[in-house]
Amino acid sequence: MQRTEDTTWLLISRLGYAGLAPFVILTLLLWLVDAELHPFIALAMAGYGAVIVSFLGGIHWGIGFRNAITSHNAPPVHFVWGVVAPLLAWVAVMMPAFAGLPLLGFVLIGCYVMDYRTWPAAGLGGWLRFRLHLTVVASLSCFIAAGAT
């Protein structure tokens, strides 16, 4: 019988890598379809990227709340970043794709940098390598997609 940690890791890694599929597929579509479809595909890409950034921001709220409950010491950076990152992603969605998609790529990198700085103190440092893989593919997808718009 597998250990619970192994089963959880397998589920999380499968879901994380599956979550890259829209980034990769939409990027490929932008390079393969007629230009008249680009606005729709780019909007789908930007919308998905913004959802992912919001999810990453939500993780920081979860860490902040956990710290507040368990140690009564919640560094404000978690709550602040949990709001700033989605706001930046929202701005990216409102921009033309040639500018908004690169902004999303940089916001995704910013999310990783913030995680790198804060997750070890929260006991989540072991997840950073996995997060790096996801960030590289998602960010590159945004940058490459912007080149097609």
Side-chain angles (χ1 to χ4, degrees):
M1 186 158 146
Q2 271 187 323
R3 295 182 8 217
T4 303
E5 298 86 24
D6 293 339
T7 305
T8 302
W9 165 249
L10 186 60
L11 174 64
I12 291 170
S13 64
R14 284 182 178 171
L15 290 171
Y17 289 123
L20 292 174
F23 283 113
V24 173
I25 291 168
L26 291 168
T27 298
L28 288 172
L29 283 174
L30 278 169
W31 283 94
L32 297 174
V33 301
D34 292 331
E36 68 231 15
L37 295 175
H38 284 190
F40 304 105
I41 297 169
L43 181 59
M45 176 95 164
Y48 184 70
V51 167
I52 295 302
V53 168
S54 295
F55 173 79
L56 295 171
I59 292 172
H60 281 272
W61 273 67
I63 293 169
F65 280 124
R66 184 189 68 182
N67 289 347
I69 292 168
T70 59
S71 68
H72 304 288
N73 180 21
V77 66
H78 291 296
F79 299 110
V80 173
W81 182 249
V83 171
V84 169
L87 285 175
L88 291 171
W90 173 63
V91 169
V93 170
M94 307 283 269
M95 297 171 73
F98 72 87
L101 290 174
L103 176 58
L104 271 173
F106 286 119
V107 172
L108 287 163
I109 292 168
C111 287
Y112 176 78
V113 169
M114 188 60 71
D115 294 350
Y116 184 83
R117 299 177 105 190
T118 60
W119 280 17
L124 300 172
W127 293 96
L128 287 170
R129 185 170 182 194
F130 172 64
R131 274 281 290 117
L132 179 61
H133 295 164
L134 299 178
T135 298
V136 166
V137 173
S139 295
L140 281 175
S141 294
C142 289
F143 299 140
I144 294 168
T149 60

